[in-house]
CSV table of all heavy atoms in Angstrom, one decimal:
chain,number,residue,atom,x,y,z
A,49,ILE,N,-25.5,36.2,-14.9
A,49,ILE,CA,-25.2,36.4,-16.3
A,49,ILE,C,-26.4,35.8,-17.1
A,49,ILE,O,-27.0,36.4,-17.9
A,49,ILE,CB,-24.0,35.6,-16.7
A,49,ILE,CG1,-22.7,36.1,-15.9
A,49,ILE,CG2,-23.7,35.9,-18.2
A,49,ILE,CD1,-21.5,35.2,-16.1
A,50,SER,N,-26.8,34.6,-16.7
A,50,SER,CA,-28.0,34.0,-17.3
A,50,SER,C,-28.5,32.9,-16.4
A,50,SER,O,-27.8,32.4,-15.5
A,50,SER,CB,-27.8,33.4,-18.7
A,50,SER,OG,-27.0,32.2,-18.6
A,51,ARG,N,-29.8,32.6,-16.4
A,51,ARG,CA,-30.3,31.5,-15.6
A,51,ARG,C,-31.4,30.7,-16.3
A,51,ARG,O,-32.6,31.0,-16.2
A,51,ARG,CB,-30.9,32.1,-14.3
A,51,ARG,CG,-31.2,31.0,-13.3
A,51,ARG,CD,-31.3,31.5,-11.8
A,51,ARG,NE,-31.1,30.4,-10.9
A,51,ARG,CZ,-30.9,30.6,-9.6
A,51,ARG,NH1,-30.6,31.8,-9.1
A,51,ARG,NH2,-30.8,29.6,-8.8
A,52,TYR,N,-31.1,29.9,-17.3
A,52,TYR,CA,-32.0,29.1,-18.1
A,52,TYR,C,-32.9,30.0,-18.7
A,52,TYR,O,-34.2,29.7,-18.8
A,52,TYR,CB,-32.7,28.0,-17.3
A,52,TYR,CG,-31.9,27.5,-16.1
A,52,TYR,CD1,-32.4,27.6,-14.8
A,52,TYR,CD2,-30.6,26.8,-16.1
A,52,TYR,CE1,-31.8,27.1,-13.7
A,52,TYR,CE2,-29.9,26.4,-15.1
A,52,TYR,CZ,-30.5,26.6,-13.9
A,52,TYR,OH,-29.8,26.1,-12.7
A,53,ASP,N,-32.6,31.2,-19.2
A,53,ASP,CA,-33.5,32.1,-19.9
A,53,ASP,C,-32.9,32.6,-21.2
A,53,ASP,O,-32.0,32.0,-21.7
A,53,ASP,CB,-33.7,33.3,-18.9
A,53,ASP,CG,-32.3,33.9,-18.5
A,53,ASP,OD1,-31.3,33.8,-19.2
A,53,ASP,OD2,-32.3,34.5,-17.4
A,54,GLU,N,-33.5,33.6,-21.8
A,54,GLU,CA,-33.1,34.1,-23.1
A,54,GLU,C,-31.6,34.4,-23.2
A,54,GLU,O,-31.0,34.4,-24.2
A,54,GLU,CB,-34.0,35.2,-23.6
A,54,GLU,CG,-33.9,36.6,-22.8
A,54,GLU,CD,-34.5,36.5,-21.4
A,54,GLU,OE1,-35.2,35.5,-21.1
A,54,GLU,OE2,-34.4,37.4,-20.7
A,55,ARG,N,-31.0,34.7,-22.1
A,55,ARG,CA,-29.6,35.1,-22.0
A,55,ARG,C,-28.8,33.9,-22.1
A,55,ARG,O,-27.5,34.0,-22.3
A,55,ARG,CB,-29.2,35.9,-20.7
A,55,ARG,CG,-30.0,37.3,-20.6
A,55,ARG,CD,-29.9,37.8,-19.2
A,55,ARG,NE,-30.4,37.0,-18.2
A,55,ARG,CZ,-30.3,37.2,-16.9
A,55,ARG,NH1,-29.6,38.3,-16.4
A,55,ARG,NH2,-30.7,36.4,-16.0
A,56,GLY,N,-29.3,32.7,-21.9
A,56,GLY,CA,-28.6,31.5,-21.9
A,56,GLY,C,-29.6,30.4,-21.6
A,56,GLY,O,-29.7,30.1,-20.4
A,57,PRO,N,-30.2,29.8,-22.5
A,57,PRO,CA,-31.3,28.9,-22.2
A,57,PRO,C,-31.1,27.7,-21.5
A,57,PRO,O,-32.0,27.3,-20.7
A,57,PRO,CB,-31.9,28.6,-23.7
A,57,PRO,CG,-30.7,28.9,-24.7
A,57,PRO,CD,-29.9,30.0,-24.0
A,58,ALA,N,-29.9,27.1,-21.5
A,58,ALA,CA,-29.6,25.9,-20.8
A,58,ALA,C,-28.7,26.0,-19.6
A,58,ALA,O,-28.3,25.0,-19.1
A,58,ALA,CB,-29.2,24.8,-21.8
A,59,TRP,N,-28.3,27.2,-19.4
A,59,TRP,CA,-27.2,27.3,-18.4
A,59,TRP,C,-27.5,28.5,-17.4
A,59,TRP,O,-28.1,29.5,-17.7
A,59,TRP,CB,-25.9,27.5,-19.0
A,59,TRP,CG,-25.7,28.5,-20.1
A,59,TRP,CD1,-25.2,29.8,-19.9
A,59,TRP,CD2,-25.9,28.3,-21.5
A,59,TRP,NE1,-25.2,30.4,-21.1
A,59,TRP,CE2,-25.7,29.5,-22.1
A,59,TRP,CE3,-26.4,27.2,-22.2
A,59,TRP,CZ2,-25.8,29.8,-23.5
A,59,TRP,CZ3,-26.6,27.4,-23.6
A,59,TRP,CH2,-26.2,28.7,-24.2
A,60,TYR,N,-26.9,28.2,-16.2
A,60,TYR,CA,-27.0,29.2,-15.1
A,60,TYR,C,-25.6,29.6,-14.7
A,60,TYR,O,-24.7,28.6,-14.6
A,60,TYR,CB,-27.7,28.7,-13.9
A,60,TYR,CG,-27.5,29.4,-12.6
A,60,TYR,CD1,-27.8,30.8,-12.6
A,60,TYR,CD2,-27.1,28.7,-11.5
A,60,TYR,CE1,-27.6,31.4,-11.4
A,60,TYR,CE2,-26.9,29.4,-10.2
A,60,TYR,CZ,-27.3,30.8,-10.2
A,60,TYR,OH,-27.1,31.4,-9.0
A,61,TRP,N,-25.2,30.9,-14.7
A,61,TRP,CA,-23.9,31.3,-14.2
A,61,TRP,C,-23.8,32.8,-13.8
A,61,TRP,O,-24.8,33.4,-14.1
A,61,TRP,CB,-22.8,30.9,-15.3
A,61,TRP,CG,-22.9,31.6,-16.7
A,61,TRP,CD1,-24.1,32.1,-17.3
A,61,TRP,CD2,-21.8,31.8,-17.6
A,61,TRP,NE1,-23.7,32.5,-18.5
A,61,TRP,CE2,-22.4,32.3,-18.8
A,61,TRP,CE3,-20.5,31.4,-17.6
A,61,TRP,CZ2,-21.7,32.6,-19.9
A,61,TRP,CZ3,-19.7,31.7,-18.8
A,61,TRP,CH2,-20.3,32.4,-19.9
A,62,ASN,N,-22.9,33.1,-13.0
A,62,ASN,CA,-22.7,34.4,-12.4
A,62,ASN,C,-21.3,35.0,-12.6
A,62,ASN,O,-20.4,34.3,-12.7
A,62,ASN,CB,-23.0,34.4,-10.9
A,62,ASN,CG,-24.3,33.8,-10.5
A,62,ASN,OD1,-25.3,34.4,-10.8
A,62,ASN,ND2,-24.3,32.6,-9.9
A,63,ASN,N,-21.2,36.3,-12.6
A,63,ASN,CA,-20.0,37.0,-12.3
A,63,ASN,C,-19.9,37.2,-10.8
A,63,ASN,O,-21.0,37.2,-10.2
A,63,ASN,CB,-19.9,38.3,-13.1
A,63,ASN,CG,-19.8,38.2,-14.5
A,63,ASN,OD1,-19.0,37.4,-15.1
A,63,ASN,ND2,-20.5,38.9,-15.3
A,64,ILE,N,-18.7,37.2,-10.3
A,64,ILE,CA,-18.6,37.4,-8.8
A,64,ILE,C,-17.8,38.8,-8.7
A,64,ILE,O,-17.0,39.1,-9.5
A,64,ILE,CB,-18.0,36.3,-8.1
A,64,ILE,CG1,-16.6,36.0,-8.7
A,64,ILE,CG2,-18.9,35.1,-8.1
A,64,ILE,CD1,-15.8,34.9,-7.9
A,65,SER,N,-18.1,39.5,-7.7
A,65,SER,CA,-17.2,40.6,-7.2
A,65,SER,C,-16.9,40.5,-5.7
A,65,SER,O,-17.9,40.1,-4.9
A,65,SER,CB,-17.8,41.9,-7.6
A,65,SER,OG,-19.0,42.2,-7.0
A,66,ALA,N,-15.8,40.8,-5.3
A,66,ALA,CA,-15.4,40.7,-3.9
A,66,ALA,C,-14.0,41.3,-3.6
A,66,ALA,O,-13.2,41.4,-4.5
A,66,ALA,CB,-15.4,39.2,-3.5
A,67,GLY,N,-13.9,41.8,-2.4
A,67,GLY,CA,-12.5,42.2,-2.0
A,67,GLY,C,-11.7,40.9,-1.8
A,67,GLY,O,-12.3,39.8,-1.6
A,68,GLU,N,-10.4,41.1,-1.8
A,68,GLU,CA,-9.6,39.8,-1.7
A,68,GLU,C,-9.7,39.3,-0.1
A,68,GLU,O,-9.5,38.2,0.1
A,68,GLU,CB,-8.1,40.2,-1.9
A,68,GLU,CG,-7.7,40.7,-3.2
A,68,GLU,CD,-6.3,41.2,-3.3
A,68,GLU,OE1,-5.9,42.0,-2.4
A,68,GLU,OE2,-5.6,41.1,-4.3
Side-chain angles (χ1 to χ4, degrees):
I49 305 170
S50 72
R51 192 159 195 164
Y52 330 122
D53 53 25
E54 65 288 349
R55 298 170 300 172
W59 50 93
Y60 166 52
W61 58 339
N62 300 295
N63 290 316
I64 57 173
S65 62
E68 296 170 323

